[in-house]
Amino acid sequence: MRILKLTEDTKKNLLENLLQRSPNSYKQYEEQVNEIIEQVRQNGDQGLFTYTEQFDGAKVTQETVKVTREEIEEGYRLTDPALIDVMKKSLENIKAYHEKQKQYSWFDSRPDGVMLGQKVTALARVGVYVPGGKAAYPSSVLMNVLPAKVAGVERIVMTTPCGKDGKVNPATLAAADLAGVDEIYKAGGAQAVAALAFGTESIPKVDKIVGPGNIYVALAKKAVFGHVSIDSIAGPSEILVLADEKANPRYAAADLLSQAEHDELASAILITDSEKLAEQVSLEVERFTAELSRKEIIEKSLENYGYILVAKDMEEAVETANEIASEHLEILTERPFETMMKIRNAGAIFLGEYASEPLGDYFAGPNHVLPTNGTAKFFSPLSVDDFIKKSSIISYSREALEPIYQDIVQFAASEQLTAHANSIKVRFEEK
C-alpha cells in the first residue's frame, strides 16, 4: 500500500478521489435506468419479465415469479446445516440489538384540557432488495429484514435475482424465511426496484425500499425516491483504521483487506502517527494479499483507493478521520474508548483489537447497512427508525383555547391568511 505523509494537499486529494466512487458520479447510466423504470411502470409484469430475461437470462412468468414454499424448503435442504445454525445465532443478536431501538407512542395531558402527543406507526409494506448473481449475502437479508420485523411492518416483500435456471440462491432463501419475509420474488436490478416502487400484476407496490445493489439498483432507488421512501444511495464499501504505535500490524492489515476484497471500488485507509507501524502494515498487506482468494480485486482496490497516511500526531489523525467520515471505523489505539469520544463522523465504530469489522458484518447485532461516501456526517445506520413514521397528536378544550385564540388570529393575520384566522375566530363568535 502507498504510504503518504498526511498534509492538507494529501487530505484534499484523497477526499476528491473517494468522492469519485459515489453513485452520483455515474450519470451515464441514468438514462438507461430511467428507461427501465418507465417500461416496468407502464407495462408491469411484461416489462419486468422482459428485462429479467435480457439481463439475467431467466424466463420468468406470472406462475413462476413468486418463490414457492417448496422452493424455500429446498433452500433449507441445500444449505449447510452449520450455516443455518450460525444464521440463527446471528439473527438473535441482531433482533436483540434492534429491540432496544423501538419507539412508542406518547401523550402528555394538562389539567386545562390540552393533550399533545406522538403516534408511532410501523410502515405497512416494505420492499427488501437482495443482490444475487455470483455471490450470495444472507447476512444482508438478516440486516435489512429484522429491523423491519422489530418495528412491526405488516408485509415484507423481498426481491432477488434468480439464475438462468430460475432458482434463487438457497442460503438467501433460508435466511429470508428465518428472518420472517412474507413474500419473495425472482427479480433483480433496476427492474425489481421499479416493480416495488409502482407495483405490477405480480409484485405489490411498497411504501419503502431498502437493501444494497449495484450501480443500476442504486440509481433506480434514487430515481423512484418520492414515489416511495428509500434507505439510502449506497456506495462501495470502505474502512478506516485509526492506529497508534501500540497496534498489532497484522490485525490492522487483515482488517484493511476485509473491505478491499469486496469490490475494486472499495476503500481501505490506515491513519497512524507511527512511521514504523505504517511500514509494518504495508508489509503485512503484501503478505496477506499474496495468499488470499480475491487477490486481483484486492490489488485493484488498494491501487485505486488504498492509503496509509502518517499523521504528525493522533489529534491530526482523528481530525482527518472525521473529515473522511468512513462507513467502518476501527480504533486500534492504546486507549480506544478515549479516542472514540473524539469521533463525530462514522457509520460504525469498532473499539479495540478484538472488534474487527467482520464481527459487525455478521454477528454482533448492530446493523451493517451503513452510510458511505462521507454521508456518515449526516446519516445513520439502518435501524428500527427507518421502518416507522410518526404522527403528531393535538387536542385542546375550549377552556384551553380561549385564552390564546386571539394570539393565533394575530399570527395568521400577519401572514395574510384570513381563512386560518377565521378557523380559530369562528369558535368564539357571540351567539
Side-chain angles (χ1 to χ4, degrees):
M1 289 178 71
R2 78 196 91 176
I3 300 176
L4 302 173
K5 183 177 181 181
L6 184 55
T7 66
E8 284 302 317
D9 284 343
T10 303
K11 191 189 306 181
K12 180 183 176 183
N13 293 337
L14 182 151
L15 291 170
E16 288 177 353
N17 190 33
L18 293 179
L19 284 174
Q20 292 176 7
R21 306 172 313 130
S22 167
N24 293 321
S25 300
Y26 291 84
K27 295 186 182 298
Q28 67 268 34
Y29 299 109
E30 286 184 350
E31 186 176 344
Q32 184 181 2
V33 167
N34 290 336
E35 172 65 20
I36 292 170
I37 290 171
E38 193 56 31
Q39 286 296 321
V40 174
R41 185 178 186 179
Q42 295 293 331
N43 300 312
D45 277 352
Q46 181 185 341
L48 176 66
F49 299 155
T50 298
Y51 285 120
T52 299
E53 184 172 4
Q54 179 180 336
F55 296 128
D56 299 327
K59 291 188 176 182
V60 176
T61 66
Q62 287 186 346
E63 289 71 36
T64 61
V65 67
K66 186 176 182 180
V67 172
T68 64
R69 187 67 220 174
E70 290 72 24
E71 288 175 298
I72 293 172
E73 294 300 333
E74 182 184 42
Y76 277 111
R77 290 194 299 272
L78 294 176
T79 302
D80 184 347
L83 177 58
I84 297 289
D85 288 341
V86 170
M87 287 196 291
K88 288 179 179 177
K89 293 176 185 177
S90 176
L91 183 153
E92 290 304 319
N93 291 341
I94 297 166
K95 184 179 178 183
Y97 180 86
H98 288 84
E99 286 279 359
K100 296 183 184 299
Q101 298 177 336
K102 288 182 74 171
Q103 295 193 43
Y104 301 91
S105 300
W106 58 266
F107 300 93
D108 182 40
S109 59
R110 300 198 314 234
D112 62 0
V114 172
M115 186 178 75
L116 302 176
Q118 181 172 272
K119 184 175 184 292
V120 175
T121 308
L123 301 183
R125 287 191 290 199
V126 166
V128 176
Y129 183 91
V130 177
K134 297 178 181 177
Y137 299 102
S139 63
S140 184
V141 177
L142 301 182
M143 290 291 183
N144 280 277
V145 174
L146 288 169
K149 293 295 289 186
V150 170
V153 173
E154 296 174 12
R155 188 177 180 186
I156 300 176
V157 180
M158 191 178 102
T159 63
T160 187
C162 62
K164 293 181 180 180
D165 58 359
K167 293 185 178 295
V168 174
N169 180 276
T172 298
L173 291 180
D177 191 62
L178 289 171
V181 171
D182 296 296
E183 303 158 40
I184 307 171
Y185 294 93
K186 302 169 186 176
Q191 60 271 24
V193 174
L196 290 169
F198 300 107
T200 71
E201 295 88 335
S202 298
I203 298 180
K205 172 179 167 42
V206 300
D207 302 312
K208 184 165 189 169
I209 302 172
V210 302
N214 62 19
I215 188 63
Y216 292 95
V217 171
L219 291 176
K221 287 169 68 177
K222 179 181 177 182
V224 301
F225 177 64
H227 298 282
V228 293
S229 179
I230 62 171
D231 51 351
S232 64
I233 310 294
S237 189
E238 53 201 32
I239 186 171
L240 191 154
V241 177
L242 268 179
D244 61 18
E245 61 183 2
K246 302 286 187 180
N248 184 315
R250 281 180 64 79
Y251 294 174
D255 296 351
L256 290 167
L257 298 180
S258 73
Q259 294 308 288
E261 77 168 342
H262 263 298
D263 189 332
E264 292 178 356
L265 295 176
S267 165
I269 300 171
L270 168 69
I271 307 180
T272 181
D273 60 351
S274 168
E275 291 187 15
K276 179 181 178 182
L277 182 77
E279 296 288 352
Q280 289 174 325
V281 171
S282 181
L283 185 60
E284 294 292 350
V285 164
E286 289 182 19
R287 289 173 178 165
F288 278 130
T289 301
E291 60 190 40
L292 291 169
S293 63
R294 296 169 70 88
K295 177 183 176 183
E296 291 183 9
I297 292 174
I298 289 171
E299 288 178 339
K300 196 69 175 177
S301 168
L302 295 180
E303 179 185 337
N304 292 329
Y305 303 107
Y307 296 90
I308 295 177
L309 303 176
V310 181
K312 67 175 183 286
D313 51 36
M314 284 308 295
E315 184 177 334
E316 183 181 48
V318 167
E319 179 186 336
T320 303
N322 279 321
E323 288 193 49
I324 294 172
S326 185
E327 177 188 18
H328 306 99
L329 173 65
E330 286 192 8
I331 300 179
L332 301 178
T333 60
E334 189 173 11
R335 298 183 179 87
F337 284 86
E338 184 179 310
T339 305
M340 181 267 291
M341 296 302 294
K342 301 173 185 177
I343 296 297
R344 295 189 306 275
N345 307 319
I349 303 173
F350 300 79
L351 302 177
E353 60 183 16
Y354 293 103
S356 64
E357 189 278 336
L359 176 66
D361 266 356
Y362 295 110
F363 207 78
N367 211 287
H368 79 197
V369 180
L370 303 166
T372 57
N373 282 109
T375 60
K377 291 178 179 177
F378 45 82
F379 281 145
S380 305
L382 190 72
S383 72
V384 170
D385 290 351
D386 288 288
F387 300 100
I388 62 171
K389 56 190 179 70
K390 303 167 187 176
S391 303
S392 302
I393 305 294
I394 302 169
S395 177
Y396 266 62
S397 66
R398 179 182 176 86
E399 290 70 27
L401 184 60
E402 188 168 13
I404 59 153
Y405 89 89
Q406 289 182 339
D407 294 336
I408 303 169
V409 169
Q410 182 178 358
F411 217 149
S414 74
E415 296 184 351
Q416 299 181 12
L417 296 174
T418 55
H420 280 64
N422 186 61
S423 174
I424 294 291
K425 203 161 43 173
V426 71
R427 285 162 168 75
F428 296 95
E429 291 176 338
E430 293 185 10
K431 296 182 180 177

